[in-house]
C-alpha cells in the first residue's frame, strides 16, 4: 500500500488557488475566488478569530477548512467551520484532520457548539454523522443562465428609485442599517441580533468580490429601504449574497425590484451565470427567485455538533 505524508498547517497566501479549487470542486454553484481567501486570512484580528487550516498530502495542498467564532449574535459559544478536500484525495484522512484542527482551535476559544454546512449528498452527510454532527436546517441553491431573458421588471412605485451602492461609497452606514435590520429575521439556529457597524464594514462592505455597481438599493423618499448585495468572480459568475428589506418597508415588493435590477445590470456587464442560496423555509424569497428564473441546482444541511 502506498504511504502518504499528511500535514495540517495554517494557510499561506500561496495556498489560495488550491484551497479555492477544493472548495468549488463538484459545486458549480459556489462563487469563491483565491483573492477572497487571501483577503479573509489577511484581515486584522477580531472577535471572530477567523483561521484557515490547509491539508497537504505528500507536499500538495489538497483541501482546507475555514473556521471562526460566530459574531453578530447575542448567543455565546457558537462557532463555524466549513471545509472540503479535492475529490481524488478524499478517504485518506485529510478531511478528518482538518475538522479536528478547526474543532481544537474553536474549543480553545470557548466554543461549545459548532455549525458546518453539509452538501446534501450521502458521502458528506455520512462523514459528518460519523464525527458526531446532527443535522439541522436545510437550504437550497438556485442557478440561472443570465444569457436568457429576464422577466420584465414591475413599474417603480411613486417615490421609489433604484440606485447602485456606489452612491454610498463615502458613507455606507445607511446600507448597514438595512442589512442589520433585515438579518435579524433571517432563518437560522442563532439570532443575528447584535451586528456591529465595524464588523459589517470588515466582513461585508470591504470584501474584494462585492460589486458595488451591481449591488442595488431601493430608496423610498430618499431613504434606503431594501438592497440586493452582489458578489462576483470578476469573470462570468455572479452571486446574490443577501437581498432584504427593512421591516417597516416589507410587503411592497422592494427587495424583488432591487434583485431584478441587480441581475439586469449583471447580465448587461457580461456575467453569464447567477447563483443564490436560501433557507428552504424562506417562502417569500424562494418565490422571488422562481419569478426571476432561478432553478434549484443543489442543497445543503446545517451540521451541528456539541464540543467538549
Amino acid at each position: 500500500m502506498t504511504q502518504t505524508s499528511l500535514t495540517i498547517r495554517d494557510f499561506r497566501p500561496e495556498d489560495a488557488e488550491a484551497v479555492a479549487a477544493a472548495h468549488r470542486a463538484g459545486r458549480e454553484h459556489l462563487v469563491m475566488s483565491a483573492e477572497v481567501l487571501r483577503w479573509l486570512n489577511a484581515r486584522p484580528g477580531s472577535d471572530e478569530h477567523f483561521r484557515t487550516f490547509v491539508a497537504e498530502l505528500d507536499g500538495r495542498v489538497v483541501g482546507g477548512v475555514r473556521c471562526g467564532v460566530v459574531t453578530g449574535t447575542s448567543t455565546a459559544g457558537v462557532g463555524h467551520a466549513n471545509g472540503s478536500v479535492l475529490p481524488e484525495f478524499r478517504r485518506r484522512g485529510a478531511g478528518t484532520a482538518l475538522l479536528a484542527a478547526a474543532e481544537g482551535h474553536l474549543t480553545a476559544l470557548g466554543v461549545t457548539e459548532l455549525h458546518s454546512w453539509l452538501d446534501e449528498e450521502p458521502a458528506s452527510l455520512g462523514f459528518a454523522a460519523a464525527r458526531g454532527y446532527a443535522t439541522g436546517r436545510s437550504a437550497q441553491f438556485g442557478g440561472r443562465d443570465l444569457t436568457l431573458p429576464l422577466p420584465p421588471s414591475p413599474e417603480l412605485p411613486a417615490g421609489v428609485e433604484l440606485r447602485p451602492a456606489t452612491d454610498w461609497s463615502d458613507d455606507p452606514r445607511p446600507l448597514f442599517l438595512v442589512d442589520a435590520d433585515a438579518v435579524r429575521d433571517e432563518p437560522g439556529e442563532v439570532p443575528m441580533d447584535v451586528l456591529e457597524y465595524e464588523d459589517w464594514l470588515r466582513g461585508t462592505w470591504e470584501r474584494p468580490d462585492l460589486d458595488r455597481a451591481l449591488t442595488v438599493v431601493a430608496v423610498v423618499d430618499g431613504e434606503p429601504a431594501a438592497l440586493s448585495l452582489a458578489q462576483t468572480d470578476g469573470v462570468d459568475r455572479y452571486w446574490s449574497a443577501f437581498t432584504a428589506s427593512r421591516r417597516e418597508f416589507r410587503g411592497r415588493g422592494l427587495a424583488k425590484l432591487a434583485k431584478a435590477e441587480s441581475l439586469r445590470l449583471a447580465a448587461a456587464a457580461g456575467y453569464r451565470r447567477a447563483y443564490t442560496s436560501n433557507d428552504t423555509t424562506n417562502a417569500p424569497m424562494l418565490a422571488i427567485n422562481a419569478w426571476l428564473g432561478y432553478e434549484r441546482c443543489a442543497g445543503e444541511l446545517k451540521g451541528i455538533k456539541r464540543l467538549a
Side-chain angles (χ1 to χ4, degrees):
M1 182 172 66
T2 302
Q3 298 295 313
T4 59
S5 173
L6 172 63
T7 301
I8 304 298
R9 59 168 174 78
D10 278 309
F11 175 90
R12 301 168 188 158
E14 59 267 28
D15 300 326
E17 293 288 351
V19 175
H23 178 68
R24 295 191 303 260
R27 303 181 180 117
E28 54 90 16
H29 50 279
L30 296 184
V31 181
M32 169 68 78
S33 67
E35 179 188 17
V36 170
L37 278 170
R38 294 188 189 98
W39 171 81
L40 284 169
N41 286 278
R43 292 177 300 167
S46 72
D47 292 341
E48 185 185 10
H49 298 283
F50 182 88
R51 194 170 178 182
T52 297
F53 295 97
V54 301
E56 283 187 355
L57 279 172
D58 295 333
R60 174 177 174 177
V61 175
V62 299
V65 62
R66 307 174 310 282
C67 59
V69 178
V70 175
T71 60
T73 177
S74 58
T75 303
V78 180
H80 63 85
N82 292 283
S84 55
V85 174
L86 287 168
E88 62 269 32
F89 293 99
R90 292 173 186 168
R91 300 183 181 276
R92 294 167 69 177
T96 299
L98 284 169
L99 194 57
E103 290 179 1
H105 168 62
L106 296 173
T107 299
L109 295 170
V111 168
T112 57
E113 183 174 289
L114 182 56
H115 293 186
S116 179
W117 282 109
L118 313 171
D119 293 332
E120 194 177 44
E121 51 91 16
S124 178
L125 298 178
F127 175 89
R131 287 153 185 82
Y133 285 79
T135 53
R137 309 190 72 88
S138 62
Q140 72 176 50
F141 293 94
R144 194 197 196 285
D145 185 345
L146 284 178
T147 67
L148 300 177
L150 288 158
S153 294
E155 184 176 348
L156 287 180
V160 176
E161 58 180 329
L162 300 176
R163 294 165 55 185
T166 49
D167 287 358
W168 287 269
S169 292
D170 292 337
D171 179 17
R173 183 178 288 272
L175 307 189
F176 160 75
L177 295 176
V178 177
D179 197 331
D181 185 54
V183 77
R184 289 185 296 167
D185 297 319
E186 275 290 285
E189 285 79 10
V190 296
M192 303 306 294
D193 51 358
V194 289
L195 182 63
E196 298 289 341
Y197 181 52
E198 292 302 322
D199 290 337
W200 180 84
L201 285 176
R202 182 169 47 242
T204 299
W205 186 250
E206 295 174 357
R207 281 184 66 106
D209 59 350
L210 177 68
D211 193 316
R212 300 178 188 176
L214 301 184
T215 293
V216 174
V217 183
V219 179
V220 177
D221 297 327
E223 180 181 2
L227 53 71
S228 187
L229 293 170
Q231 297 168 0
T232 73
D233 67 355
V235 182
D236 63 357
R237 291 154 59 84
Y238 163 105
W239 174 257
S240 180
F242 188 50
T243 300
S245 299
R246 294 187 67 168
R247 289 176 174 177
E248 62 267 36
F249 293 102
R250 291 178 191 164
R252 299 167 61 174
L254 300 176
K256 181 178 182 178
L257 287 168
K259 191 164 189 174
E261 177 66 4
S262 181
L263 283 174
R264 186 191 68 78
L265 292 172
Y271 289 93
R272 301 178 62 82
R273 292 292 301 175
Y275 297 97
T276 190
S277 175
N278 297 102
D279 191 279
T280 54
T281 66
N282 192 347
M285 190 53 65
L286 291 173
I288 289 174
N289 291 337
W291 175 77
L292 287 167
Y294 282 96
E295 296 182 348
R296 189 184 191 281
C297 60
E300 61 182 0
L301 295 172
K302 177 66 71 68
I304 303 171
K305 180 178 181 178
R306 296 294 300 179
L307 299 181

